[in-house]
Amino acid sequence: MNQHPMKLILQGPNASEHAARRVAELAGAARMATVAPHVFRCDGVNDSDELRETVRGACLAAGMDAAFVPANLQLADFRLVVMDMDSTLITIECIDEIADMQGLKSEVAAVTEAAMRGELEFRESLQKQVALLAGLDASALEQVFEERLELTLGAHDMLHAMKAAGLRTVLVSGGFTYFTERLQKELELDVTRANLLEVVDGKLTGRVIGDIVDADAKKIMVETQSAELGVPSSAAIVIGDGANDLQMMSVAGLSVAFRAKPVVQAKANVALNFSGLDGVLNLFR
């Protein structure tokens, strides 16, 4: 049993009051309130690992996200939000789309999948993938950014609210600076870090310049950004989707698995499978 009183937030684009009431009863909630369209807050809930599993199963079947969080959780408790980029802040995996320009999407995507599931060491997988891109015209990066890169649903609203609440916005990616730098400008993000692709005579060489941003580097980023603000890393909200994000999630005060691999959902405080990124904001209602 959790010693602190918890609330249960139920949400999703298709979340209905009827389905939410059924789950609230399962959780032994003392009361349930509609706090926004398709968002329900249940108070006085029971909390155990077994119950969470039951609730999770019922919610998956109903197309809803369920989050057990401290009843008094507030956005004011946090000072920074640290996000992964590929398949989190944006809907694509940039390296897969770049590889598509080389006719190698399936080969590269298979490596991406294995790394995200935690079956392949990230550094090794990235070097393998980038090597496949050798000789590709660097203009392919611009083409991916202009034609294929889309922000995840709810990203604008989530970032707007985080900034309004005074949180530092940090994007840290095992992807590439070409994309993080452009997103930083477009979304007015405070800090970004990613891998730099080597380009010679307008072509990718198949190599990354400098240190690779892997799971360790992501975790260090959360810790150093927190330290710069003079707060512990528990003042960070961390959002990610792959095994590469687990280390930075482990030092956060609130970790959110967004459309994530099962290994990540199992370890995060909250998993969002149906809601947009603005679903993070509903945890504070």
Side-chain angles (χ1 to χ4, degrees):
M1 274 295 191
N2 210 298
Q3 295 103 332
H4 304 290
M6 303 293 274
K7 64 184 176 186
L8 170 62
I9 300 290
L10 302 170
Q11 61 175 321
N14 301 312
S16 69
E17 186 173 352
H18 175 67
R21 285 224 176 272
R22 284 212 317 270
V23 174
E25 278 168 28
L26 270 179
R31 64 203 154 271
M32 184 185 102
T34 304
V35 290
H38 308 290
V39 184
F40 308 92
R41 172 180 168 144
C42 309
D43 286 297
V45 292
N46 299 321
D47 183 21
S48 67
D49 291 345
E50 198 180 336
L51 180 73
R52 287 187 183 217
E53 233 4 81
T54 306
V55 164
R56 201 175 74 90
C59 284
L60 272 175
M64 269 191 313
D65 291 318
F68 285 86
V69 288
N72 60 355
L73 188 75
Q74 296 174 57
L75 196 48
D77 299 336
F78 298 94
R79 293 290 307 283
L80 67 162
V81 57
V82 183
M83 303 156 285
D84 172 50
M85 177 175 70
D86 296 272
S87 299
T88 301
L89 183 63
I90 62 175
T91 59
I92 61 168
E93 290 286 330
C94 289
I95 192 151
D96 295 358
E97 301 305 322
I98 300 166
D100 198 25
M101 310 276 176
Q102 232 4 5
L104 290 169
K105 186 169 184 173
S106 58
E107 287 94 318
V108 168
V111 180
T112 304
E113 271 292 306
M116 301 243 317
R117 288 193 302 265
E119 293 161 12
L120 246 191
E121 206 265 317
F122 179 80
R123 180 180 293 268
E124 176 199 355
S125 69
L126 184 77
Q127 286 166 331
K128 213 180 251 190
Q129 290 171 314
V130 172
L132 290 170
L133 306 178
L136 182 66
D137 208 298
S139 64
L141 302 177
E142 186 184 359
Q143 208 177 332
V144 168
F145 188 82
E146 295 298 337
E147 295 172 17
R148 301 194 181 185
L149 187 144
E150 273 182 51
L151 286 180
T152 298
L153 190 71
H156 274 298
D157 289 347
M158 188 269 289
L159 284 169
H160 180 76
M162 295 287 177
K163 287 178 199 167
L167 276 75
R168 178 179 288 192
T169 52
V170 181
L171 182 62
V172 57
S173 172
F176 308 114
T177 54
Y178 184 92
F179 304 101
T180 56
E181 285 169 1
R182 279 155 185 77
L183 286 168
Q184 178 170 21
K185 203 171 165 188
E186 203 175 282
L187 301 171
E188 298 178 349
L189 302 170
D190 294 314
V191 184
T192 64
R193 172 134 195 248
N195 296 303
L196 178 60
L197 287 171
E198 185 178 56
V199 177
V200 174
D201 298 331
K203 306 253 185 226
L204 300 181
T205 65
R207 284 191 295 273
V208 171
I209 296 173
D211 292 336
I212 284 180
V213 179
D214 59 5
D216 279 335
K218 286 185 165 193
K219 178 185 171 206
I220 290 165
M221 188 75 167
V222 175
E223 291 169 337
T224 53
Q225 289 299 313
S226 303
E228 263 187 38
L229 292 169
V231 294
S233 63
S234 57
I237 299 168
V238 169
I239 310 169
D241 70 313
N244 195 35
D245 300 316
L246 284 172
Q247 284 197 42
M248 69 169 176
M249 286 179 160
S250 73
V251 296
L254 178 67
S255 56
V256 180
F258 187 76
R259 307 269 200 281
K261 299 296 169 209
V263 62
V264 183
Q265 294 200 34
K267 295 196 174 174
N269 299 130
V270 173
L272 296 179
N273 290 309
F274 304 102
S275 312
L277 274 176
D278 51 344
V280 175
L281 303 174
N282 294 324
L283 305 174
F284 305 101
R285 289 185 179 274

